[in-house]
Amino acid sequence: MTMASAPDGAEDVFDQFLTDRGHPTERIGWQQDGLKKQCPECSGLHDDAATSCTVCGWTPR
């Protein structure tokens, strides 16, 4: 879950809230598709140097 306008630390608090109630939380990163990085949100392909998805705007945490 991404909270684009959340204040610093709010995501950690939300993750802890979910964890305390038995819901798993995990950090999601780039997937590999051959020699390219693949966005886990929209499946857009990017060069290995990419730091965010230019298709949907996703960034790894």
Side-chain angles (χ1 to χ4, degrees), residues 5-54:
S5 61
D8 291 340
E11 257 185 80
D12 293 334
V13 171
F14 188 67
D15 284 350
Q16 187 61 49
F17 174 83
L18 291 173
T19 300
D20 290 347
R21 284 148 184 81
H23 300 281
T25 59
E26 62 184 50
R27 303 287 183 214
I28 298 174
W30 292 102
Q31 299 168 354
Q32 286 296 130
D33 186 305
L35 299 175
K36 299 277 187 174
K37 286 181 176 177
Q38 186 173 21
C39 175
E41 291 290 316
C42 72
S43 299
L45 294 175
H46 303 283
D47 290 331
D48 198 40
T51 57
S52 65
C53 179
T54 57

